Amino acid sequence: MTFADLGKRARGASRALAKATRAEKDVALRAAADAIDAGAAGIAKENDRDVADARARDVSRAMIDRLVLDAPRIASVAETLRDIARAEDPVGAVLEDRARPNGLRVRRVRVPIGVIGMIYEARPNVTAEAFALCFKAGNAVILRGGSDASRTNAALADAIRSALPEPLRDAVQLADASTRESVLEMVRAEGVIDLVIPRGGEALIRFVTENARVPVVQHYKGVCHLYVDASADVDEALAIARNAKLSRPGVCNALECLLVDDAIAARLLPRLAGALENCEIRGCEKTVALVPGAKRADEDDYGREFLDRILAVRVVAGLDGALDHIARFGSGHTEAIVTRDAANAARFRAEVDAACVVVNASTRFHDGGELGLGAEIGIATSRIHWRGPMGLESLTTMKWLVDGDGQIR
Amino acid sequence: MTFADLGKRARGASRALAKATRAEKDVALRAAADAIDAGAAGIAKENDRDVADARARDVSRAMIDRLVLDAPRIASVAETLRDIARAEDPVGAVLEDRARPNGLRVRRVRVPIGVIGMIYEARPNVTAEAFALCFKAGNAVILRGGSDASRTNAALADAIRSALPEPLRDAVQLADASTRESVLEMVRAEGVIDLVIPRGGEALIRFVTENARVPVVQHYKGVCHLYVDASADVDEALAIARNAKLSRPGVCNALECLLVDDAIAARLLPRLAGALENCEIRGCEKTVALVPGAKRADEDDYGREFLDRILAVRVVAGLDGALDHIARFGSGHTEAIVTRDAANAARFRAEVDAACVVVNASTRFHDGGELGLGAEIGIATSRIHWRGPMGLESLTTMKWLVDGDGQIR
């Protein structure tokens, strides 16, 4: 199927979907979840082939971890679809409702965006979850996954489509994942795609930004910092650093760089290596002097998303030093502070420019589920339209409704 | 000053402004209003020169009307700045606030976007009003007005800047209006400008869309329709059509095309010319047969923004005919229906895809002031970030704040 055909089908389905009731959408989502469960063995088999190919190409362990879709993960994908079916329908929600002195009633309501293009890399669960979130919010989706996962993605999309009723079946479309050309087609598809969401590394985001003619909300890398203030409790700081770095090093809300106030460095740093088992530490001169086994960081270790058991560390001159470092090296994703000083916490919250600012907790909480939003399509690092975890509300737009009885101006 | 310098100054001011209190911003806005009042004679003189040049180039009456900034209009601009000073500060507003079962407090709050680029054509009041809206929402603004209004815009910006305290003085910057190059610089200025708002005709919007690397919220033309349903009260329909077309023909929420249900055409159309004095009517075959003096419309009269005393008219086959016409020719700005049939009103509201859908009132109400938002920077026809009148809220983004006492995941 050409991209133009696929776009036309998606648009047709989006029109039908915009009129669908909540019940119709939820029934379809549950049927899709059941079809994924029923087809789990076949999906896992296709995933095995994708994984074997990836291993043969000697890709990183983190990449393989993202690619694997085994029986428990398939069951979890199906469960996510059921969760999305249970979630409130964002469409039709009234954002404002007021009467004007001239008797006009003015409402602002949520409506679907239309057709969403999703461009992502290895993780195949995104295929089903992005479909389900877009669908519940009344949008068709054109998915362009990674070529590494193409068999898995096709198997998931087939299962979903087999469960959708006729007018909505085209609400999920797979774009060709074998060439960059399909990315270019998507980001230039004015009138075909209403919003493109790229989720991936620097090269992908740059390619999309330079070529896009349709609106883009970026899901860019997370170069997340944790700043340990002079007033911090050292045990708490170490526990948060350990969790943020090691609970899942391959994800975007994992810690990449620890900043330590000079005034607390001598108490905290000697204990750091013990708290972070099997983790390489690359630090500044002061860090190397205080952390047994630490290596000297290169300048490009700051601002880097390792996605691995590696942590950059720097001793800084108090809060101002931390704010300067974050302004220079942060990616606007998640920034955290450990402090007992309310004034420093307040300044950190106000002055750090990031999608999520965390005080006295792990960076790993920057996640739709953890923040109470339910499932998310990713974490937006753009400033426009939405920022942070993109749940159902973020996949809608608005419409103004004005009701009168003959008013003129 | 080079564009890079101007961008750096705007960014510096935006950082200072993001930390400014509401009181600091409001004092500065009132001072700017006073400076505009005090400089009114000088501003009007510069405007006279711009208007004289435009007349010499024989531009349209509608264009001259937009360009004129005489004493009453200058006073009204200053008053708008005072209104904006009185408006609620959108920055810091809490959009969500919840406690999680693990004790985390999660808030989503409004924060400024940063630096906004505004690209617009003749209307010089936009210079002061866009500055004031961006400023109140904590943003610096780079303004690229029309070359026709360059003297007026410079005089307004000088007056405003003279009134701003030092760290905020650079919050308003004028880009070179004499070449297209400056538009290109703005829309490609990643990291310098966070959002570009182009407000203008098709050529401008197309140029911006094709070249933009920064996010864009478009303010595109208004090809507004009014559909008169079979059940409508003819007097009410005529009064609304007259107001929508003639109260200010040169603006984007003015009526451009009247659609009439075949079932009511014989009762309504013979009275149309009488209701619309000095207005050219270009209609379909049935219209020409029923409206004395009507001319036959060309195909390209449908979907056209006349911005003048010209109205396209078409007799359609009921609501479905109207919906089809609007889907094909509408620009997604404002669409209206006159009806006494609640089911048809509901279908029209649900199925028309536009920023604003009006039932039994004039299209002219699609305006920030009329809808109760206060001043607006324009009317967005994009689907992403904001749609419809862009008041203060639309000029902010969001930030998630997570507060804990040592939580790990």
Side-chain angles (χ1 to χ4, degrees):
Chain A
M1 188 162 24
T2 67
F3 180 75
D5 286 339
L6 183 153
K8 236 175 260 166
R9 283 169 182 240
R11 179 65 63 190
S14 85
R15 293 217 172 96
L17 195 50
K19 294 191 224 171
T21 62
R22 171 175 179 173
E24 287 164 345
K25 293 189 283 190
D26 293 351
V27 165
L29 285 169
R30 286 194 196 94
D34 293 345
I36 288 171
D37 275 336
I43 295 165
K45 208 170 130 189
E46 293 301 303
N47 184 252
D48 286 343
R49 295 172 65 197
D50 281 337
V51 170
D53 278 6
R55 280 194 213 278
R57 283 199 314 284
D58 205 23
V59 306
S60 73
R61 198 175 46 186
M63 190 67 123
I64 296 285
D65 175 56
R66 291 172 187 224
L67 181 55
V68 168
L69 198 71
D70 52 15
R73 286 193 182 173
I74 293 171
S76 147
V77 165
E79 212 38 61
T80 300
L81 265 57
R82 292 186 187 101
D83 287 343
I84 294 169
R86 274 187 290 269
E88 283 293 310
D89 188 343
V91 174
V94 179
L95 302 169
E96 298 182 46
D97 187 346
R98 59 180 149 228
R100 299 290 301 154
N102 60 4
L104 284 181
R105 183 181 183 190
V106 176
R107 282 173 292 173
R108 184 161 63 95
V109 301
R110 284 196 195 285
V111 296
I113 290 173
V115 177
I116 293 176
M118 179 87 197
I119 302 171
Y120 54 106
E121 291 173 340
R123 230 183 275 269
N125 59 310
V126 173
T127 304
E129 292 168 10
F131 150 73
L133 285 161
C134 289
F135 187 89
K136 178 82 180 221
N139 306 292
V141 68
I142 299 176
L143 298 163
R144 201 282 188 189
S147 55
D148 290 341
S150 58
R151 293 188 193 93
T152 316
N153 290 338
L156 280 167
D158 284 348
I160 292 166
R161 261 199 295 261
S162 73
L164 297 182
E166 179 46 54
L168 307 180
R169 190 158 297 165
D170 285 324
V172 55
Q173 299 290 333
L174 288 191
D176 179 12
S178 62
T179 68
R180 264 268 146 115
E181 196 53 41
S182 63
V183 174
L184 203 60
E185 280 181 320
M186 285 175 73
V187 303
R188 292 197 168 157
E190 292 167 83
V192 176
I193 290 179
D194 298 302
L195 171 67
V196 162
I197 303 177
R199 196 170 140 176
E202 185 144 20
L204 173 66
I205 300 290
R206 179 140 297 278
F207 184 80
V208 167
T209 304
E210 283 177 6
N211 289 289
R213 289 187 187 166
V214 303
V216 173
V217 173
Q218 300 167 345
H219 289 50
Y220 188 41
K221 65 182 177 185
V223 180
C224 307
H225 296 82
L226 175 67
Y227 165 61
V228 182
D229 192 40
S231 66
D233 177 278
V234 170
D235 291 324
E236 183 178 310
L238 289 171
I240 289 174
R242 174 193 167 88
N243 180 263
K245 179 70 254 183
L246 297 180
S247 61
R248 202 162 173 202
V251 294
C252 60
N253 59 16
L255 180 65
E256 302 294 9
C257 181
L258 182 72
L259 302 171
V260 182
D261 187 346
D262 210 352
I264 200 174
R267 286 192 290 136
L268 181 123
L269 288 179
R271 295 176 55 195
L272 186 65
L276 302 177
E277 69 276 9
N278 298 322
C279 180
E280 184 180 327
I281 291 172
R282 302 186 186 172
C284 62
E285 211 174 294
K286 286 182 179 170
T287 304
V288 172
L290 290 165
V291 179
K295 299 203 311 196
R296 191 76 172 80
D298 293 333
E299 187 60 19
D300 70 356
D301 284 328
Y302 297 116
R304 186 153 159 201
E305 191 187 33
F306 297 107
L307 297 173
D308 207 342
R309 299 178 79 94
I310 305 171
L311 180 68
V313 180
R314 189 176 216 172
V315 175
V316 295
L319 181 59
D320 286 305
L323 292 171
D324 286 348
H325 182 100
I326 290 168
R328 178 163 170 209
F329 294 107
S331 64
H333 194 289
T334 314
E335 306 296 355
I337 184 174
V338 185
T339 184
R340 293 287 160 217
D341 180 327
N344 281 359
R347 267 195 72 200
F348 193 84
R349 266 187 222 106
E351 296 185 28
V352 167
D353 183 17
C356 185
V357 179
V358 180
V359 176
N360 294 330
S362 172
T363 55
R364 296 290 327 286
F365 288 109
H366 188 195
D367 165 277
E370 295 295 329
L371 299 187
L373 286 181
E376 57 164 60
I377 206 164
I379 292 177
T381 53
S382 287
R383 307 178 75 77
I384 300 306
H385 185 70
W386 198 268
R387 207 175 180 206
M390 288 184 70
L392 289 167
E393 289 184 4
S394 72
L395 297 171
T396 63
T397 183
M398 59 188 79
K399 184 192 233 178
W400 294 82
L401 300 177
V402 178
D403 286 349
D405 51 9
Q407 283 84 348
I408 59 174
R409 191 177 161 188
Chain B
M1 189 161 26
T2 68
F3 180 74
D5 286 338
L6 182 153
K8 238 175 261 168
R9 284 169 181 241
R11 179 64 64 190
S14 85
R15 293 215 172 98
L17 195 50
K19 293 191 225 170
T21 63
R22 171 174 179 174
E24 287 165 345
K25 293 188 283 189
D26 292 352
V27 165
L29 284 169
R30 286 194 196 94
D34 293 345
I36 288 171
D37 275 337
I43 295 165
K45 208 170 131 190
E46 293 301 303
N47 185 252
D48 286 343
R49 295 172 65 197
D50 281 337
V51 170
D53 278 6
R55 281 195 214 278
R57 284 199 314 284
D58 205 22
V59 307
S60 72
R61 198 174 47 188
M63 189 68 121
I64 297 284
D65 175 57
R66 290 172 187 224
L67 181 55
V68 169
L69 197 71
D70 51 15
R73 284 192 185 174
I74 293 171
S76 147
V77 165
E79 213 36 62
T80 300
L81 265 56
R82 292 185 187 102
D83 287 343
I84 294 169
R86 273 188 290 269
E88 282 293 311
D89 188 345
V91 174
V94 179
L95 302 169
E96 297 183 45
D97 187 347
R98 58 180 150 228
R100 299 291 299 154
N102 60 4
L104 285 180
R105 183 181 182 190
V106 176
R107 283 173 292 175
R108 184 160 62 95
V109 301
R110 284 196 197 286
V111 295
I113 290 172
V115 177
I116 293 176
M118 179 86 199
I119 303 171
Y120 54 106
E121 290 171 340
R123 230 184 276 269
N125 60 309
V126 173
T127 303
E129 292 169 9
F131 150 74
L133 285 161
C134 289
F135 187 89
K136 177 84 181 219
N139 305 292
V141 68
I142 299 176
L143 298 163
R144 201 283 188 189
S147 55
D148 290 341
S150 57
R151 292 189 194 92
T152 317
N153 289 339
L156 281 167
D158 285 347
I160 292 166
R161 261 200 294 260
S162 72
L164 298 182
E166 180 45 56
L168 307 179
R169 190 159 297 164
D170 284 326
V172 56
Q173 299 291 333
L174 287 192
D176 178 12
S178 62
T179 68
R180 264 270 145 114
E181 196 53 40
S182 63
V183 174
L184 203 60
E185 280 180 320
M186 286 175 73
V187 304
R188 292 196 169 157
E190 291 168 83
V192 176
I193 291 180
D194 299 302
L195 172 66
V196 162
I197 303 176
R199 198 169 139 176
E202 185 143 21
L204 173 67
I205 300 290
R206 179 141 297 279
F207 184 80
V208 168
T209 304
E210 283 177 6
N211 291 289
R213 289 186 187 167
V214 302
V216 173
V217 172
Q218 300 167 344
H219 289 50
Y220 188 40
K221 66 183 177 184
V223 180
C224 308
H225 295 82
L226 175 68
Y227 166 61
V228 182
D229 191 43
S231 66
D233 177 277
V234 171
D235 290 324
E236 181 178 310
L238 289 170
I240 289 174
R242 173 193 167 88
N243 180 265
K245 179 71 254 183
L246 298 181
S247 60
R248 201 161 173 203
V251 294
C252 59
N253 59 17
L255 181 64
E256 302 294 7
C257 180
L258 182 72
L259 302 171
V260 182
D261 186 347
D262 210 352
I264 200 175
R267 285 191 290 136
L268 182 125
L269 287 178
R271 295 176 54 195
L272 185 65
L276 302 177
E277 70 276 12
N278 299 322
C279 180
E280 184 180 327
I281 291 170
R282 302 186 187 173
C284 62
E285 211 174 294
K286 286 182 179 168
T287 303
V288 172
L290 290 165
V291 180
K295 299 204 312 196
R296 192 76 173 81
D298 293 333
E299 187 60 19
D300 70 357
D301 284 328
Y302 297 116
R304 186 153 159 201
E305 191 186 34
F306 297 108
L307 296 173
D308 208 343
R309 300 179 78 93
I310 305 171
L311 180 68
V313 179
R314 189 177 216 172
V315 175
V316 294
L319 180 58
D320 287 304
L323 291 171
D324 287 348
H325 182 100
I326 290 169
R328 180 164 169 207
F329 293 106
S331 64
H333 194 290
T334 315
E335 306 296 355
I337 184 174
V338 185
T339 184
R340 293 287 160 217
D341 180 327
N344 281 0
R347 268 194 71 201
F348 194 83
R349 268 188 221 105
E351 296 185 28
V352 167
D353 183 16
C356 186
V357 179
V358 180
V359 175
N360 295 328
S362 171
T363 55
R364 295 289 329 285
F365 288 108
H366 187 196
D367 166 276
E370 295 295 330
L371 300 187
L373 287 183
E376 56 164 59
I377 206 163
I379 292 176
T381 53
S382 286
R383 307 179 76 76
I384 300 304
H385 185 70
W386 199 267
R387 206 176 181 204
M390 287 184 73
L392 289 168
E393 290 185 4
S394 73
L395 298 172
T396 63
T397 182
M398 59 187 80
K399 185 192 231 178
W400 294 82
L401 301 177
V402 178
D403 286 349
D405 50 11
Q407 282 85 349
I408 59 174
R409 189 176 160 190

